[in-house]
Amino acid sequence: MPQLDPRWIVHVDMDAFYASVEQRDDPSLKGRPVIVGGIGPRGVVAAASYEVRKFGVRSAMPMREALSRCPDAICVRPRMSHYQSVSRQIFSVFSAFTPLIEGLSLDEAFLDVTASIAAFGPADSIAAEIKRRVLAETALTCSVGVAPNKLVAKIASELRKPDGLVVVRPDGVTALLDPLPLRRLFGLGPKTAPRVEALGIRTLGELRHARTEVLRPVFG
């Protein structure tokens, strides 16, 4: 039986999207710790620039905790309609390469470019051109993973943030995934991960080799 050509999925994730838009629009914020989110006792971080992330600030964190970690952070109220407008620009770039787009949020999407290769060249070239055009049209960077399926593409896009591009070919999936920490697995929640780690499973390779009877009590 002839071997089928691989499917190619591109996962695009904008880098600190809301915060990056604010830094782009206000040059005085460039290189400074920026938090986008609700300001007040019940405020929550919607986005954190890379400058503030080194203090442990993350999205969905209470604003009070974020400011205790980085008192010098600059807080900016979200401008959702503006972010939506920028998102439309970004998705317009995607649609120039494929109609098969699965948006996960304003700043993240899967693109199936398998059928686009005949017109635009290899998947890695498509990914590089998407990065170039997004930067040229929005002055924003994105991180991109290219792989034979969505799971691996998403993991790949997270490995070299910000402004990264990681291509995983079919024969390289296992080599890429096996050494990675268990919590890199997309969809493995904060309640399930500790239960798996309690079994002595710390990497994706160990999870791949684990016996079914060991995993069944956790996963069903």
Side-chain angles (χ1 to χ4, degrees):
M1 179 181 292
Q3 188 171 359
L4 298 176
D5 291 334
R7 186 182 180 206
W8 285 108
I9 304 297
V10 173
H11 178 255
V12 183
D13 191 10
M14 300 302 297
D15 297 322
F17 182 49
Y18 299 171
S20 295
V21 170
E22 298 299 340
Q23 289 178 316
R24 178 198 71 177
D25 293 351
D26 182 352
S28 72
L29 299 178
K30 284 280 189 182
R32 302 179 70 184
V34 174
I35 298 174
V36 178
I39 300 171
R42 296 188 177 182
V44 174
V45 175
S49 72
Y50 284 96
E51 294 83 2
V52 80
R53 290 186 186 189
K54 63 185 178 182
F55 295 94
V57 176
R58 296 288 183 270
S59 60
M61 177 180 287
M63 185 66 76
R64 181 177 296 172
E65 180 182 347
L67 291 175
S68 71
R69 290 173 180 242
C70 184
D72 295 330
I74 301 165
C75 299
V76 180
R77 292 188 183 276
R79 298 184 292 159
M80 294 308 302
S81 61
H82 183 53
Y83 306 146
Q84 289 166 355
S85 176
V86 178
S87 176
R88 286 192 289 271
Q89 287 182 274
I90 294 165
F91 275 70
S92 178
V93 173
F94 300 163
S95 65
F97 294 91
T98 178
L100 303 177
I101 302 169
E102 180 186 345
L104 303 180
S105 62
L106 294 180
D107 63 332
E108 184 180 3
F110 289 114
L111 288 64
D112 188 330
V113 299
T114 308
S116 306
I117 290 173
F120 298 105
D124 53 347
S125 298
I126 293 173
E129 182 62 11
I130 288 172
K131 282 175 58 65
R132 188 195 69 78
R133 287 185 55 175
V134 167
L135 180 62
E137 297 184 23
T138 69
L140 299 170
T141 64
C142 58
S143 293
V144 179
V146 184
N149 61 58
K150 292 195 292 186
L151 175 67
V152 180
K154 183 169 175 65
I155 292 174
S157 71
E158 297 173 349
L159 294 180
R160 292 182 190 161
K161 275 187 158 290
D163 199 20
L165 172 59
V166 176
V167 179
V168 187
R169 306 196 182 280
D171 59 359
V173 169
T174 299
L176 175 85
L177 295 186
D178 276 3
L180 294 179
L182 179 71
R183 297 192 186 216
R184 286 282 191 179
L185 184 61
F186 175 54
L188 188 68
K191 292 183 179 180
T192 304
R195 295 178 63 197
V196 179
E197 290 169 340
L199 300 173
I201 298 171
R202 300 286 176 174
T203 68
L204 295 184
E206 291 170 349
L207 179 65
R208 184 168 67 87
H209 289 292
R211 301 191 311 276
T212 302
E213 60 268 25
V214 172
L215 298 177
R216 185 172 288 118
V218 176
F219 294 101

